Amino acid sequence: MIAKYPPIWARWDVPVIVNLAGDTVGEFAEMAAMLDEVQGVAGVELNVSCPNVEAGGMFFGCDPGLAAEVTAAVRAATTLPVIVKLTPNVTDVAAVARAVADAGADALSLINTLLGLAIDVRRRRPVLGNVTGGLSGPAVKPVALRMVYQVAAAVDVPIIGLGGITGLDDALEFLMAGASAVQVGTATFADLGMVTRIIDDLAAWLAREGLTSVREIVGVANAGRGARGAE
Amino acid sequence: MPQQFTATFIEREEALPRNAIVRLAAPRAVVDAAAPGQFVMLHQGLAAGRDPLLPRPFSIMRATRARGAGEPDSLELLVFTGGRGAGRLVEARPGEPFAALGPLGSGYQLGGRVSRALLLAVGHGIAPIVALAEAALARGVAVTMLVGANSADQLLPLPYLPTDAEIAVATADGSRGHHGAVTDLVPEYLEWADGIYAYAPEPVYVALREALRAYRGARTLPPVQVAIERGMACGVGVCLGCVVQTKGGLKTVCRDGPVFPLEQVVLD
Ligand SMILES: Cc1cc2nc3c(=O)[nH]c(=O)nc-3n(C[C@H](O)[C@H](O)[C@H](O)COP(=O)(O)OP(=O)(O)OC[C@H]3O[C@@H](n4cnc5c(N)ncnc54)[C@H](O)[C@@H]3O)c2cc1C
Ligand SMILES: Cc1cc2nc3c(=O)[nH]c(=O)nc-3n(C[C@H](O)[C@H](O)[C@H](O)COP(=O)(O)O)c2cc1C
Ligand code: FES
């Protein structure tokens, strides 16, 4: 993988961040170390929405202690920027966010998919072979926004907001809630041009509003963020 | 190479109850590249609303270059009218644009040694099977099409089928052709065919496999290619929402398929 793809990424004029998923803390650290100083890799994002085999299948991202442990291990293993991607399947997302920020994360991204389930009424069985699956797209946007808002008020590291973004207005909501950048997942399946369109529309919007930088709107709708004086 | 393009609705023809043939204008590169068994992902575009959110896969029945000046190059699809996404496609007005991606997937392989092809279709599977029949006939391959349906009114009428193919029909209610399953017709062609190609729901493939296993003749049985369907989000192999279990591990239906050798797929 490392021999094949990074040389291709190095030729692109956008930075490429590699999303990592592992079964153990050691695996995360090992992968991060392998990617360190590889041309074409701009950073790593840790997908902690997966079960920790060594901790009885407890999800890394559902426990502040485990999330901090994997963050610290990766931090020590690489000089690359480390983004930790938070799961929404928790009661207190701010607590996990504070733990990973304190453990050395350079940025946080949220949210990953919400655990969902659908039943095929005709077959009287769950639709998915795996029974549950990740819910994404427009349905999760209000949950994602609420969590970005809470986390932005709780930590000082930059936040990448995502979950259900399908156009400029959604992106603006995330920025105003406190995200410094956004990602688009599901909507890309509906329209491969989604990301470039949002970028163009955002530039046009900023010009219309007489603004020079996205920074000027980051967190403007977030009372908690303002109180901390971040950004 | 698949490409992103705008498919413009030209017309619809109600070829069957609850099914329509939809003709869409498409770029020449797409029309020329389309091979039997390949499909397109179609979407109204998010600008037209978010329901349904994701594009839908449809097999290419015919990909035709413009017949005259002022006419567009076009794709013909056979679309079941009951669903949400397909419903929008069928109810479209001339000139209405659809966001499209294609041609996608790995279609039927009509090897150079095949001279007598047995094709089997059930439901909307007749669309890609017509595409394959026409490609095979154009190469001088003899074609027999076995077509199955619940009743005679669900069979695509003859004018839509290639005239040079031999056609045998089976209906579950006996209203036309053989009274029973389409796979009942397979044994009598096993000595004739040197390639078998099917597009049908998976239980039909289980029956097809049984028919092949029951063969007691001296001939080596011809290779069988079948198309698998799964719900699809991306159509290009990145979301892994469409995987199928094969003897070689999990494969994506959208990219590794939809056509697979019958002996490779794990049918449940
Ligand atoms: C490679 C590939 C090729 C395909 N080619 C074709 C093709 O050529 N033609 C074609 O029609 N389909 C084809 N399909 C199937 C089609 O993509 C799906 O049926 C798709 O879900 C249709 O989208 P929809 O929004 O119309 O249906 P949805 O609203 O998503 O409905 C889901 C399912 O329920 C069924 N359904 C919905 N409403 C009704 C109803 N009122 N009565 C009975 N059943 C109902 C639909 O048939 C569909 O299977 C293909 C699928 C694949 C994977
Ligand atoms: C098909 C699919 C695959 C995904 N794979 C990953 C993954 O490998 N790693 C990860 O961190 N998140 C993964 N996600 C989660 C998304 O990156 C994103 O967090 C989530 O879908 C919400 O954003 P969206 O609504 O824009 O899709 C996946 C989501 C989908 C729908
Ligand atoms: S539909 Fe996304 S991988 Fe096949």
Side-chain angles (χ1 to χ4, degrees):
Chain A
M1 292 284 260
I2 291 184
K4 185 171 168 196
Y5 293 107
I8 301 172
W9 300 335
R11 292 199 295 272
W12 294 353
D13 55 10
V14 291
V16 173
I17 294 165
V18 179
N19 182 275
L20 301 180
D23 289 336
T24 63
V25 171
E27 268 183 28
F28 272 101
E30 194 184 329
M31 287 186 282
M34 284 164 73
L35 291 168
D36 198 21
E37 290 178 9
V38 172
Q39 274 266 314
V41 177
V44 292
E45 181 187 58
L46 312 187
N47 176 7
V48 292
S49 304
C50 45
N52 180 341
V53 173
E54 291 169 337
M58 159 78 103
F59 286 76
F60 288 103
C62 291
D63 176 74
L66 271 180
E69 191 188 336
V70 70
T71 305
V74 169
R75 175 71 290 157
T78 180
T79 59
L80 288 166
V82 176
I83 303 164
V84 180
K85 182 162 174 183
L86 304 182
T87 169
N89 303 315
V90 294
T91 337
D92 187 357
V93 70
V96 183
R98 273 191 295 266
V100 298
D102 290 345
D106 296 300
L108 306 178
S109 55
L110 63 152
I111 59 172
N112 212 311
T113 52
L114 280 148
L115 214 47
L117 186 147
I119 289 176
D120 182 334
V121 175
R122 211 165 31 83
R123 290 166 55 235
R124 303 185 181 193
R125 264 191 264 154
V127 169
L128 298 176
N130 198 32
V131 183
T132 59
L135 179 68
S136 65
V140 310
K141 194 187 78 173
V143 178
L145 272 170
R146 183 263 296 174
M147 290 193 159
V148 166
Y149 188 98
Q150 287 177 321
V151 169
V155 299
D156 291 326
V157 295
I159 292 163
I160 302 166
L162 73 151
I165 296 176
T166 64
L168 172 67
D169 289 351
D170 298 330
L172 288 174
E173 284 193 74
F174 276 88
L175 295 169
M176 290 179 184
S180 302
V182 297
Q183 292 179 11
V184 179
T186 304
T188 306
F189 298 144
D191 182 349
L192 294 178
M194 181 61 66
V195 170
T196 44
R197 173 127 30 79
I198 292 175
I199 291 169
D200 293 346
D201 289 352
L202 182 58
W205 184 86
L206 288 171
R208 275 203 306 281
E209 295 289 313
L211 301 172
T212 51
S213 165
V214 172
R215 282 174 210 281
E216 294 176 63
I217 57 161
V218 170
V220 291
N222 193 328
R225 184 80 165 179
R228 288 177 64 89
E231 288 295 329
Chain B
M1 265 303 273
Q3 56 171 291
Q4 225 186 336
F5 61 99
T6 300
T8 312
F9 185 88
I10 303 172
E11 62 187 359
R12 139 194 75 235
E13 217 175 315
E14 259 128 66
L16 274 175
R18 314 206 310 150
N19 281 273
I21 291 177
V22 170
R23 205 152 76 88
L24 302 161
R28 175 151 297 186
V30 172
V31 167
D32 285 353
Q38 285 193 303
F39 63 97
V40 286
M41 293 289 278
L42 282 181
H43 195 276
Q44 269 209 318
L46 287 180
R50 292 172 179 162
D51 182 35
L53 179 70
L54 296 169
R56 300 288 197 250
F58 293 100
S59 300
I60 299 166
M61 179 153 98
R62 282 194 184 88
T64 330
R65 279 200 183 192
R67 290 201 185 82
E71 280 213 25
D73 298 334
S74 65
L75 298 176
E76 269 176 39
L77 316 173
L78 177 69
V79 178
F80 171 76
T81 58
R84 284 182 300 146
R88 298 222 166 152
L89 183 57
V90 169
E91 288 151 20
R93 295 210 182 87
E96 206 169 313
F98 286 83
L101 187 63
L104 298 168
S106 149
Y108 295 100
Q109 301 298 321
L110 197 62
R113 285 197 303 263
V114 172
S115 60
R116 293 180 301 275
L118 181 67
L119 279 48
L120 185 153
V122 175
H124 63 247
I126 190 69
I129 287 298
V130 163
L132 179 62
E134 289 180 348
L137 289 164
R139 279 179 34 182
V141 174
V143 172
T144 297
M145 298 172 74
L146 308 181
V147 187
N150 282 326
S151 56
D153 64 340
Q154 289 172 22
L155 292 163
L156 194 63
L158 279 178
Y160 297 102
L161 301 177
T163 42
D164 295 335
E166 180 185 327
I167 296 167
V169 165
T171 51
D173 67 356
S175 49
R176 184 166 321 147
H178 169 72
H179 186 170
V182 66
T183 44
D184 297 343
L185 303 174
V186 169
E188 64 183 282
Y189 293 93
L190 288 179
E191 305 270 342
W192 174 81
D194 50 17
I196 302 180
Y197 309 85
Y199 201 122
E202 284 174 42
V204 177
Y205 299 154
V206 174
L208 176 60
R209 197 170 56 188
E210 295 310 315
L212 294 165
R213 282 184 184 155
Y215 176 73
R216 294 285 170 268
R219 206 165 167 256
T220 309
L221 286 176
V224 186
Q225 296 173 26
V226 298
I228 301 293
E229 287 195 352
R230 289 288 183 273
M232 291 183 178
C234 73
V236 291
V238 304
C239 75
L240 306 183
C242 68
V243 291
V244 59
Q245 189 67 252
T246 74
K247 296 201 175 124
L250 288 172
K251 302 265 183 187
T252 58
V253 170
C254 67
R255 212 173 137 146
D256 301 317
V259 177
F260 295 93
L262 175 62
E263 80 268 8
Q264 278 296 312
V265 281
V266 177
L267 301 166
D268 47 29

